[in-house]
Amino acid sequence: MDKLKIVANGALNGEIVISGAKNAALPLMCAGLLSSGTLRLKNVPMLADVKTTQKLLQGMGARVLTDNISEFEINGSTVNNTCAPYDLVRTMRASILVLGPTLARFGKAQVSLPGGCAIGARPVDQHLKGLEAMGAEIVIEHGYVKASAPDGKLKGTRIHMDMVTVGGTENLLMAATLAEGTTILENCAVEPEIVDLAECLIKMGAKIQGVGTRTLTIEGVSELHGCEHSVIPDRIEAGTFLCAVAATGGKVLLRNAAPKTMEVVLDKLVQMGAVIEAGSDWISIDMQQRPKAIDLTVDVHPDFPTDMQAQFMAVNAIAEGESQITETIFENRFMHVPELNRMGANISVKGNTAMIVGVDKLSGANVMATDLRASASLIIAALVAEGETVINRIYHLDRGYENIEAKLGGVGAKIERIR
Ligand code: UD1
């Protein structure tokens, strides 16, 4: 199993090109199931989760072509299987996103229940409740969600989601594009990745109003067509590199970034002492001091993203002062804490709040990556720790970061993949 070996090498300096957003690419690929035309996606990151989605779509009969660099062509005209099997779904929770499009287009779908994952229970009740409101009959049998639309079509209706859910909003939005009549989705998530999906669906012929707000109104159409769409830049990848520089010091320019999608994160970095400048598609960070500890509370967009919580915790761990980080989205997203403490951090957890006392230095150790963003926090800690750090189980990292060792190596980090 691959590991990462990292030895602190001082400040990071140079340029990094940001990849397309994983969390936008996955739902966009699933949207390919909605039409018999060809969906051309550009700026797709080549990640393990993207490959899993490719396999999932191919398993359902879709034609999927890729240049293995950054482009995908998905053609849904040959889809002949409406089942998403356990083997693929279990490795990637986002597989549930094939449910809405498949049910809407073919009147039936069968998707393995994703089940729990390390960071929390993560049920899909809101996805199912919304589809039922649109007339779907749903049973859970043998670990599968089996859904059918009585006369082959979902029906538009008003749906109020009990909580703000990214995947739930995406699934119901996609389903509503092909439903009969008008669907009003209330209490929607407004993450930039949802805006990206809505914009692509509109290019495919969907009629959607309220994009970027908590209420989406979708007038169903009888069919969608293909289109070309470029995936938005990954705000979490960009934020992770900015945190790395906040910890090590230095001056780095991020290209192909989307600063408008990450304003809260940039504000927090400024509070930590970083000098941030940004244009429409670039961000620069200049960090010439020890970071100052900052408090933060995670919440749904436009507030601070849960996917950046672990990385900021790593910076706070070596910052000047004490801080608190409160997680409100996932109940078990502090698994990086014991690993950071093994490297000399001083972090304690009470309920959903972590108390961090900044230490002068961390020391390299053998640590275990427990989930995607937790792995990123261990990399940041390792970049400033004395001695050598070996991060085990980095398959988590490969799910969400494209060429991370090459990108960090390019700005001066001593980081190498070992087996
Ligand atoms: C997406 C992101 C993930 C990010 C998360 C929150 C993708 C592929 N993944 O995950 O990186 O961390 O948003 O920003 O885009 N919930 C329910 N019932 C539901 C749906 C959700 O109780 O039907 C709960 C979840 O357990 C969780 C919270 O709502 O506690 C938020 O989940 P959700 O926004 O749906 O996250 P994902 O779409 O799974």
Side-chain angles (χ1 to χ4, degrees):
M1 217 179 283
D2 288 8
K3 302 169 187 176
L4 278 182
K5 187 168 98 180
I6 299 172
V7 180
N9 194 29
L12 299 177
N13 286 290
E15 291 187 13
I16 300 176
V17 178
I18 298 303
S19 298
K22 168 181 89 76
N23 287 355
L26 304 181
L28 284 166
M29 290 176 79
C30 295
L33 293 170
L34 281 165
S35 107
S36 59
T38 299
L39 175 59
R40 284 194 183 82
L41 294 175
K42 296 183 160 178
N43 202 34
V44 180
M46 290 297 145
L47 300 167
D49 277 7
V50 165
K51 296 282 175 195
T52 304
T53 308
Q54 176 183 357
K55 274 194 212 146
L56 188 59
L57 298 180
Q58 284 171 330
M60 296 174 76
R63 277 204 305 272
V64 185
L65 297 174
T66 176
D67 64 357
N68 282 314
I69 302 168
S70 65
E71 294 193 8
F72 269 88
E73 271 190 17
I74 298 159
N75 183 290
S77 64
T78 47
V79 173
N80 54 7
N81 171 14
T82 53
C83 177
Y86 174 72
D87 275 359
L88 292 173
V89 176
R90 81 185 163 83
T91 65
M92 188 189 65
R93 192 187 136 81
S95 311
I96 192 73
L97 294 175
V98 301
L99 179 62
T102 308
L103 179 61
R105 179 152 163 239
F106 301 100
K108 59 180 180 167
Q110 197 170 318
V111 180
S112 172
L113 266 176
C117 79
I119 61 174
R122 301 180 87 174
V124 290
D125 54 309
Q126 299 301 312
H127 305 229
L128 305 188
K129 194 184 114 179
L131 293 172
E132 275 174 341
M134 295 169 89
E137 283 169 5
I138 298 183
V139 289
I140 312 278
E141 240 174 39
H142 310 299
Y144 278 78
V145 177
K146 296 183 177 174
S148 59
D151 44 14
K153 276 274 165 204
L154 293 173
K155 308 271 185 299
T157 186
R158 179 184 292 269
I159 299 166
H160 185 92
M161 284 170 274
D162 300 334
M163 66 186 52
V164 176
T165 147
V166 173
T169 304
E170 291 166 344
N171 232 340
L172 298 178
L173 169 62
M174 287 192 277
T177 59
L178 291 181
E180 270 171 5
T182 303
T183 304
I184 300 171
L185 291 179
E186 294 173 345
N187 202 22
C188 291
V190 296
E191 267 66 1
E193 293 75 21
I194 293 174
V195 173
D196 201 35
L197 173 65
E199 284 174 354
C200 178
L201 292 170
I202 290 170
K203 283 188 211 163
M204 292 170 77
K207 294 192 174 159
I208 306 170
Q209 281 177 344
V211 175
T213 73
R214 296 254 176 247
T215 303
L216 292 171
T217 304
I218 305 111
E219 197 188 314
V221 295
S222 56
E223 57 177 26
L224 296 176
H225 48 75
C227 78
E228 185 172 300
H229 185 79
S230 185
V231 178
I232 54 166
D234 197 314
R235 63 195 167 106
I236 307 301
E237 187 200 18
T240 300
F241 292 133
L242 293 173
C243 281
V245 181
T248 62
K251 206 171 170 184
V252 168
L253 174 68
L254 304 183
R255 292 198 184 278
N256 189 28
K260 284 229 153 52
T261 63
M262 45 191 298
E263 282 169 355
V264 185
V265 165
L266 299 182
D267 285 352
K268 287 288 175 194
L269 288 160
V270 170
Q271 285 173 31
M272 287 182 139
V275 176
I276 303 273
E277 286 179 44
S280 62
D281 63 352
W282 59 270
I283 303 170
S284 70
I285 179 168
D286 187 358
M287 187 70 170
Q288 302 300 339
Q289 63 175 77
R290 181 176 176 193
K292 287 184 254 182
I294 49 134
D295 293 336
L296 62 89
T297 298
V298 161
D299 212 337
V300 296
H301 193 78
D303 283 334
F304 191 90
T306 174
D307 287 350
M308 284 303 305
Q309 180 255 104
Q311 300 89 317
F312 270 80
M313 185 141 5
V315 186
N316 271 344
I318 48 104
E320 192 184 330
E322 296 180 12
S323 55
Q324 288 198 349
I325 292 185
T326 303
E327 168 67 54
T328 64
I329 308 286
F330 294 112
E331 63 271 26
N332 187 21
R333 210 173 195 182
F334 283 147
M335 286 174 303
H336 40 287
V337 169
E339 299 302 305
L340 289 171
N341 283 346
R342 292 185 66 244
M343 297 176 73
N346 181 353
I347 308 172
S348 52
V349 174
K350 207 171 176 191
N352 65 345
T353 298
M355 274 81 62
I356 305 122
V357 180
V359 295
D360 291 340
K361 59 179 178 40
L362 296 173
S363 61
N366 259 297
V367 288
M368 189 80 81
T370 48
D371 72 56
L372 173 53
R373 307 305 171 185
S375 322
S377 78
L378 298 177
I379 291 185
I380 293 168
L383 289 171
V384 292
E386 277 181 351
E388 179 182 296
T389 298
V390 175
I391 306 179
N392 295 276
R393 295 204 184 160
I394 55 158
Y395 54 84
H396 290 292
L397 210 61
D398 294 332
R399 291 189 38 222
Y401 289 93
E402 190 176 39
N403 299 330
I404 191 161
E405 62 269 35
K407 289 189 184 190
L408 281 172
V411 291
K414 266 176 99 173
I415 175 167
E416 121 183 64
R417 188 176 285 254
I418 53 175
R419 289 178 203 273

